[in-house]
Amino acid sequence: MALDGIRMPDGCYADGTWELKMHVTDLHRDVSLRVTGEIHIGGVMLKLVEKLDVKKDWSDHALWWEKKKTWLLKTHWTLDKYGIQADARLLFTPQHKLLRLQLPNMKHMKVKVNFSDRVFKAVSDICKTFNIRHPEELSLLRKPRDPKKKKKKLEEAEEDSLELEGPLLTPGSASEIIFIGPVKGSVYSSPGLYSKTMTPTYDSRDGSPLSPTSAWFGDSPLSEGNPGILAVSQSIASPDILVKLYKPQSLLDKAKINQGWLDSSRSLMEQDVKENDVLLLRFKYHSFFDLNPKYDAIRVNQLYEQAKWAILLEEIECTEEEMMMFAALQYHINKLSGMSSDNHMNNSEKEVDEVDAALSDLEITLEGGKTSSTLGDITSIPELADYVKVFKPKKLTLKGYKQYWCTFKDITISCYKSKEEALGTPAHQMNLRGCEVTPDVNISGQKFNIKLLIPVADGMNEIWLRCDTEKQYAHWMAACRLASKGKTMADSSYNLEVQNILSFLKMQHMNPDPQFIEPITTDINPECLVSPRYLKKYKNKQPGYVRDLISARILEAHQNVAQMSLIEAKMRFIQAWQSLPEFGITHFLAKFQGGKKEELIGITYNRLIRMDAHTGDAIKTWRFSNMKQWNVNWEIKMVTVEFADEPSLSFICAEVDCKVVHEFIGGYIFLSTRAKDQNESLDEEMFYKLTSGWV
């Protein structure tokens, strides 16, 4: 017997080689190779392909180490350097695999994604192919499981909604898309890259989408297919769809959904995502940069869809008046989306006026809009001075609002007993930097309240302001929102904020004008336009009566939006969504240092909020602008945040990997560094440094 054939007790051969076991997933074959620890990964793959002797393009294949959940992508590394020994089992498998992706509009699409890329890169490639700018705002989320439903029924529902299928390759290489909708079987290739000079995606006369479809998608692989699933909103076919979908019943349920965000710095395979798994593509960070209808038809529509479903599935709270406003906007958008582009263009002969031009370039960010040239140069800081009713709730108190003469200077509100005493010492004074500002408005009841939670050493002081008119409310609310961010009314976004608030209130008015109100028709389908909670209010009434009642209220609200173009209506919907008190707060269950019970940590684009787990009330707020650094103790899952002029914050993440919370904080810090003069490329390494914790 030759010396090299003698096998030793440890599994190695006398010549120093050993058997490496591999499984080729495409061929369902197990293969063993005689190797040494000094052979590099590229050499292993070469020997494997030679032994297989199958004519096939193996260029997309790589080795996956199951036990360690690691891709062996550094082909110049040796087996010894990776620590691979005879007990290892490797998979030789394609890096690009099919993934079932649920878009924000709840439609499913099969795409081919690189399972070896970090999730941040994979999402960026998906967005480039779909022509969705600023992919850093999106990520992948595991589908939440409704504990009341069986897994088999959920899978059947997913299959029913699968409408569009197609492999997706890395942008820059040829991509093949196969539609199984109206253009079933059509196959074509295109690089799928975003271009700064892409054609505007809306009609300048009325805001309707342009035709042909290439205008929607530019160079994307979707340019020759059916774009409706991405750029055009589709109405909900049946109220049964709303019934079947999972609705969080409490803040704790919302926190459980957020446990499902994937780690952006690791690959899909490393996070146990399998081929043909369902993942949700969602806007993860609620900071929408440079949202421009001229280039963002798909992005605007998917944002609108995510907002629409968040409201219908009760993921975010709103008042009944606000719900009717959202329903009216939905109804209007559904009507315009149902029209053909030609008919829509013929029905609208209005030219682009100053308002339309401003809307075209509207930038929706939570920091406010861009500077308007009509504002002019502001050399002095504006002030507010008026009689305002003030209420400071205390335990066991029955006292109501008390009227004061209030002045708003810089970021401070001073309250005087009368206008004549305004030159003296104020009875109360409030610095609003870092405060929480919450609206409490009822249009029909003429209630215009502002709830302020002002940070103090031991928590938050609660103060309520009551305004008499919409105009007064809009100015004081806008000033409070800016002051909470440390900005004054001299900021260029103040006037825009006032106008947005007035516009938001105007859309909620219920003043019937016969020339605009339409007769109730069967196409309204109100059960698909409002959340189930508002239908339950009339559970003891006859179904027909309820339907007519809600339809009438929707049509009444519709008169306020009936003249809007399609793109304007979607933008207004997004703006109204952003105006809701709970907008942009991502909840996680946590136990704070020194606390005895589990509470919630809320993360937004500019602050952390300690919240009561049952009521959602803010207990304490910390601004990112005041943050020095944050650290994570990975062993005990504790996040510690240090601030410039207040005690540090420490909390342990409950029922969620603290990496998810860490990534939200670092992600928002990363997004705050964006600027319009930057090019379209993303600084991936900076993102990983801020979010990974170990890179």
Side-chain angles (χ1 to χ4, degrees), residues 256-298:
K256 287 179 180 177
I257 292 175
N258 291 320
Q259 296 174 18
W261 288 106
L262 294 189
D263 185 338
S264 296
S265 59
R266 297 164 64 208
S267 70
L268 293 169
M269 287 273 278
E270 289 175 272
Q271 300 179 71
D272 296 320
V273 177
K274 304 291 191 295
E275 186 166 15
N276 281 315
D277 276 359
V278 176
L279 290 177
L280 281 52
L281 180 67
R282 294 290 185 269
F283 289 88
K284 175 179 179 178
Y285 300 104
H286 292 77
S287 178
F288 314 128
F289 185 71
D290 189 25
L291 189 60
N292 191 326
K294 289 174 69 177
Y295 309 116
D296 289 327
I298 300 168

Side-chain angles (χ1 to χ4, degrees), residues 1 43 50 313 344 522:
M1 180 182 290
E50 289 174 349
L313 298 178
H344 192 192
T522 56

Side-chain angles (χ1 to χ4, degrees), residues 460-502:
M460 308 281 273
N461 275 345
E462 184 176 342
I463 302 289
W464 289 76
L465 306 180
R466 172 169 288 178
C467 300
D468 293 327
T469 65
E470 289 184 22
K471 186 176 180 181
Q472 184 189 36
Y473 167 81
H475 283 86
W476 283 78
M477 173 57 92
C480 288
R481 284 178 175 169
L482 286 176
S484 71
K485 305 169 190 173
K487 297 181 179 181
T488 70
M489 286 172 274
D491 190 87
S492 61
S493 63
Y494 173 67
N495 284 345
L496 180 61
E497 184 71 29
V498 171
Q499 292 306 313
N500 285 342
I501 293 169
L502 287 171

